[in-house]
Amino acid sequence: MIQDKTMEEWIQSFPKIKDLINYEETTWFNNQLVNTDEALAHASLSERDILDAEARLKRFAPYIAHVFPETIEHAGIIESPLTKLEHMPKLLNTPIDGPMFLKQDNLLAISGSIKARGGIYEVLTFAEKIALEKGMITVEDDYKKFDSNEFKSVFSKYELVCGSTGNLGLSIGIMAAKLGFKVVIHMSQDARLWKKDLLRSKGVRVIEHEDDYSKAVDQGRLDSQKQSNSYFIDDENSKTLFLGYAVAAIRLKAQLQQENIHISLDNPLNVYLPCGVGGGPGGISFGLKVIFKDAVNCYFAEPTHSPCMLLGMMTGYHDGISVQEFGLDNETAADGLAVGRPSGFVGQLLEHAVKGVYTVSDQNMFKLLTQIYDSEGIKLEPSALVGIVGPIKTKEKGVHLAWATGGNMVPDEVYQEYYDLGKSI
Ligand SMILES: *Cc1c(COP(=O)(O)O)cnc(C)c1O
């Protein structure tokens, strides 16, 4: 029994569960979709919150440029390029209606994944709060001040904790260590060894768990609660993290204008976002919906072994059910998406705004990984590929945008293994 229902009853109510439990690629269209104003009418967050987050990132830009020289070129604003895919769409074997772009978060500075948006933003927010409360800074000051022994010695009395499949830990770990915080990252079993090693080399304490991501988060939360001066970054529930992701929408709007792409109801933007627990794709979708309203269609994409958001949204049970309860193993090479239970906060906030969710097999991820390298010279990690097949799965018309969520930090020898595997398929 899962939530008082037998499997037969579940399948009777939601026939797609049959495909899901057989690990078959599935596309679900949200029959609860309503127009954007209505969908977000009761949301606990608004456009003002996104603008506030953007302003905070601007205040920190001089500091970021100062301590991460690779960001000087963009004056300390961490943003990824928008790249038109010229060759890849032809390899998909199905004609696509409209141009296709890749949002290259694989190239994001500092940590090479989508987590450089939410994770770094939440660490900065926490640091600013302490500095403001202690009267060490005002919002008009030059934030380069954060790079000083005085600030670091204050921050060294605080500990930041999170649970992660890998990339969130990297973003939070790198940023928090730079500011002088103590950092503890609880890693799930699927977290890659190189991610743990990299963090340890930065002085971060990495705690490994035999269990999956949800358990790593639970343990991190519990440990953190026991300590005063310990702050837990909650990937499942954090509104701060969510707003860090949402800022991407403002930046994307400017990039589309630069490309002379006009988004309208007649020429909608279709965005395909890899989804783990939901914070990243959820935050970005929220931002996009606030800006483009009904002219944007947001789809989430998950591995066939971890379709937690699809199950949660389709059934309306959100974080009340997990893929494991339905007999799925939650084992996938897409480590960033290996999540068995979705964020209830994100699922509920967007249950009338996300247009659909589809799943992709690991086999197809690897095939796409090799194809996009051969055709466009772009290096992505497996999680980052699931957006690419969005136009085929959804049959949307308009402008297509696959969100490539990570890849830049993958060591060459690990990437080579991925590539060879894709080539052999
Ligand atoms: C974390 C992650 C995602 C998904 O973000 P969630 O907030 O977990 O939904 C997608 N791709 C990569 C590479 C990630 O690390």
Side-chain angles (χ1 to χ4, degrees):
M1 300 291 266
I2 308 162
Q3 291 274 358
D4 291 339
K5 284 198 223 180
T6 65
M7 190 62 94
E8 287 72 44
E9 287 168 332
W10 278 107
I11 292 173
Q12 200 161 33
S13 308
F14 306 100
K16 278 194 195 300
I17 287 179
K18 210 169 168 186
D19 295 336
L20 289 179
I21 61 179
N22 287 324
Y23 297 109
E24 273 167 39
E25 291 196 353
T26 313
T27 304
W28 168 74
F29 292 95
N30 186 357
N31 55 11
Q32 295 212 60
L33 187 79
V34 296
N35 73 63
T36 306
D37 286 337
E38 219 178 299
L40 300 181
H42 306 289
S44 53
L45 298 166
S46 69
E47 182 167 15
R48 259 195 37 210
D49 297 307
I50 306 175
L51 295 174
D52 181 53
E54 192 205 18
R56 183 164 295 105
L57 288 168
K58 277 195 185 139
R59 291 199 288 279
F60 270 103
Y63 165 76
I64 296 286
H66 181 63
V67 296
F68 296 109
E70 73 263 37
T71 67
I72 288 176
E73 197 185 337
H74 298 288
I77 295 294
I78 303 165
E79 193 45 70
S80 68
L82 180 66
T83 305
K84 183 145 188 231
L85 294 179
E86 300 287 357
H87 311 290
M88 186 68 193
K90 290 181 212 121
L91 299 180
L92 296 176
N93 292 329
T94 310
I96 290 166
D97 195 320
M100 185 157 172
F101 290 86
L102 192 70
K103 185 67 174 136
Q104 285 203 264
D105 279 10
N106 55 304
L107 298 180
L108 275 179
I110 302 175
S111 66
S113 85
I114 187 172
K115 304 295 195 306
R117 299 182 183 280
I120 288 177
Y121 175 70
E122 181 145 10
V123 174
L124 296 176
T125 304
F126 183 61
E128 185 188 52
K129 185 166 171 276
I130 295 170
L132 287 171
E133 277 173 8
K134 293 194 180 293
M136 297 158 73
I137 204 156
T138 72
V139 290
E140 276 84 34
D141 281 349
D142 182 344
Y143 276 27
K144 282 209 278 291
K145 271 177 135 178
F146 278 85
D147 184 37
S148 65
N149 288 337
E150 182 205 347
F151 277 65
K152 283 182 194 165
S153 101
V154 170
F155 294 150
S156 71
K157 301 192 173 68
Y158 294 85
E159 177 189 85
L160 283 169
V161 182
C162 82
S164 172
T165 57
N167 287 337
L168 185 66
L170 276 185
S171 293
I172 288 171
I174 294 170
M175 190 68 248
K178 186 65 92 181
L179 282 157
F181 289 107
K182 279 189 279 221
V183 193
V184 182
I185 311 284
H186 292 260
M187 293 282 217
S188 54
Q189 47 153 30
D190 16 67
R192 296 288 173 267
L193 181 64
W194 65 267
K195 294 183 182 176
K196 297 177 198 165
D197 289 345
L198 184 69
L199 278 173
R200 288 189 173 121
S201 77
K202 310 240 173 224
V204 171
R205 211 171 121 221
V206 175
I207 300 178
E208 298 176 60
H209 292 275
E210 293 294 311
D211 284 311
D212 82 335
Y213 161 84
S214 306
K215 293 275 166 52
V217 170
D218 288 345
Q219 196 56 51
R221 194 184 281 121
L222 270 177
D223 276 17
S224 179
Q225 277 164 358
K226 284 189 213 138
Q227 316 249 9
S228 62
N229 276 7
S230 179
Y231 179 74
F232 179 65
I233 296 184
D234 190 341
D235 202 9
E236 291 172 346
N237 298 298
S238 169
K239 290 181 179 170
T240 309
L241 208 57
F242 189 83
L243 289 170
Y245 291 118
V247 172
I250 300 176
R251 313 258 182 86
L252 177 64
K253 184 185 176 193
Q255 287 179 320
L256 287 167
Q257 279 167 346
Q258 262 165 23
E259 296 279 330
N260 249 324
I261 308 262
H262 300 284
I263 301 302
S264 65
L265 288 177
D266 296 327
N267 188 42
L269 176 65
N270 307 296
V271 184
Y272 311 103
L273 294 139
C275 178
V277 74
I284 290 171
S285 296
F286 176 71
L288 289 171
K289 278 287 174 190
V290 164
I291 289 178
F292 294 104
K293 308 258 182 192
D294 298 329
V296 67
N297 299 313
C298 297
Y299 288 94
F300 290 1
E302 299 185 299
T304 48
H305 286 245
S306 310
C308 67
M309 193 58 86
L310 198 165
L311 258 179
M313 277 200 172
M314 178 173 72
T315 62
Y317 278 80
H318 301 295
D319 57 342
I321 52 177
S322 68
V323 304
Q324 288 93 340
E325 288 169 281
F326 284 82
L328 294 166
D329 60 14
N330 191 32
E331 279 176 22
T332 167
D335 51 335
L337 313 182
V339 178
R341 190 184 293 276
S343 160
F345 155 63
V346 171
Q348 276 158 36
L349 189 82
L350 296 176
E351 64 188 343
H352 301 294
V354 169
K355 195 159 182 192
V357 188
Y358 64 82
T359 61
V360 180
S361 69
D362 276 34
Q363 171 132 338
N364 280 335
M365 287 177 218
F366 281 115
K367 200 169 127 197
L368 293 163
L369 181 143
T370 304
Q371 284 177 331
I372 202 164
Y373 184 79
D374 289 344
S375 63
E376 311 269 357
I378 295 172
K379 264 176 78 173
L380 300 178
E381 62 183 272
S383 301
L385 273 308
V386 293
I388 304 278
V389 291
I392 300 168
K393 299 285 185 188
T394 64
K395 303 186 176 63
E396 290 286 0
K397 295 177 169 53
V399 177
H400 303 282
L401 192 155
W403 213 284
T405 46
N408 211 24
M409 306 273 283
V410 180
D412 288 340
E413 61 280 11
V414 177
Y415 183 77
Q416 189 66 44
E417 277 171 36
Y418 290 154
Y419 178 89
D420 292 343
L421 190 56
K423 204 78 180 170
S424 72
I425 291 167

